[in-house]
Amino acid sequence: LDAESNNLPTVIFLHGRSLCGNNLQMLFKYGTLDALERGLELEANVIAPQNPDGPWNPEKLLNLLDWCLTEYGGDSSRVYVMGMSLGGFGTMDFCGTYPDRLAAGISLCGGTSLKDFSSLSELPLWIIHGTADKSVPLKDSKKVVDDMLVRRKNGRLLYDWLSGFSHGILARAFYLPVFYDWLFSHSLAEKGRPMHPGAGISNADFENVYDKLTPGDPIPREKYKKH
């Protein structure tokens, strides 16, 4: 990409604990990169870092973002983060630490290590969790939502508790254009940073998601390198 002419939005995909390690090929098991291989069309730059182990580090993620924006360009007012499980925790931690750098975020079956949730109300945030999740309990997301509701700081908050959904099913969200469309509807440049309504997702949206995609040319994986 030509950094000077690239004015695309940027999507950061944060994976869960099962993909931690030092083999970037693992990042094609599920998520945005796999969705692109299956035919998802995104007019965006995609950053998919691999976490070697432990929680996601917001400072390191910001350093990576700044490096990518310098090297490859992109609209700095349209940067989004989307993650599940460990990546859902990383999403909220990143959003809550640097709400002035991210236009919007989606946390799937996650939570946060932040002690103070107030900064999460400064940007559009969509929190989604399954009620039957046995790996990351619903309460981890619910405590954030409940706090924002009590403080009446939910003007930029969307949340969905999907009835009967287990942990892994929410990985299908990365394959659904509706979630990226919602992210892309937000910008740091928009006055007041309003939250735009979601599409009203339901359990049915997650059915047969792979059948709705048409595989295109595979991503040239040999070009992926560590940085």
Side-chain angles (χ1 to χ4, degrees):
L1 290 173
D2 182 349
E4 293 185 358
S5 62
N6 176 17
N7 199 38
L8 292 172
T10 296
V11 175
I12 303 172
F13 160 63
L14 300 183
H15 63 75
R17 190 174 301 279
S18 66
L19 301 190
C20 286
N22 57 9
N23 178 4
L24 290 178
Q25 302 306 312
M26 294 172 65
L27 299 181
F28 289 87
K29 286 188 174 181
Y30 74 81
T32 302
L33 295 185
D34 182 50
L36 290 171
E37 285 206 328
R38 290 175 182 265
L40 178 71
E41 295 184 1
L42 286 183
E43 290 293 325
N45 304 315
V46 176
I47 301 175
Q50 186 174 31
N51 183 346
D53 196 17
W56 287 97
N57 184 309
E59 183 178 2
K60 288 183 178 180
L61 288 172
L62 183 65
N63 290 339
L64 175 62
L65 169 62
D66 286 339
W67 182 87
C68 289
L69 290 173
T70 299
E71 291 293 317
Y72 300 107
D75 184 347
S76 61
S77 71
R78 294 186 296 157
V79 177
Y80 314 96
V81 59
M82 184 181 185
M84 74 166 288
S85 193
L86 180 68
F89 277 83
T91 294
M92 283 205 235
D93 286 355
F94 194 21
C95 287
T97 306
Y98 300 107
D100 58 328
R101 295 296 309 274
L102 300 167
I106 298 176
S107 172
L108 302 156
C109 53
T112 182
S113 65
L114 298 174
K115 305 302 181 185
D116 182 355
F117 306 149
S118 58
S119 56
L120 287 171
S121 64
E122 296 179 21
L123 79 169
L125 179 64
W126 195 350
I127 298 175
I128 306 169
H129 216 118
T131 62
D133 194 326
K134 295 182 180 180
S135 297
V136 179
L138 173 63
K139 65 179 178 64
D140 285 349
S141 287
K142 197 171 185 296
K143 68 180 181 181
V144 177
V145 171
D146 289 347
D147 177 81
M148 295 172 77
L149 292 174
V150 167
R151 293 186 297 107
R152 298 183 180 181
K153 295 292 186 180
N154 57 313
R156 299 186 181 96
L157 173 68
L158 278 179
Y159 63 95
D160 284 282
W161 310 143
L162 297 177
S163 179
F165 270 38
S166 61
H167 189 71
I169 293 178
L170 287 190
R172 299 179 185 183
F174 297 107
Y175 303 81
L176 295 169
V178 61
F179 291 105
Y180 299 97
D181 291 343
W182 180 82
L183 288 173
F184 296 157
S185 71
H186 300 94
S187 171
L188 289 173
E190 192 171 7
K191 186 177 180 180
R193 302 187 63 183
M195 188 276 294
H196 296 282
I201 61 168
S202 68
N203 293 32
D205 293 313
F206 287 79
E207 297 178 0
N208 305 316
V209 291
Y210 306 118
D211 296 338
K212 299 174 184 177
L213 297 173
T214 303
D217 295 330
I219 297 174
R221 301 186 185 187
E222 69 276 4
K223 293 185 179 181
Y224 282 78
K225 299 179 181 179
K226 273 188 184 179
H227 292 290

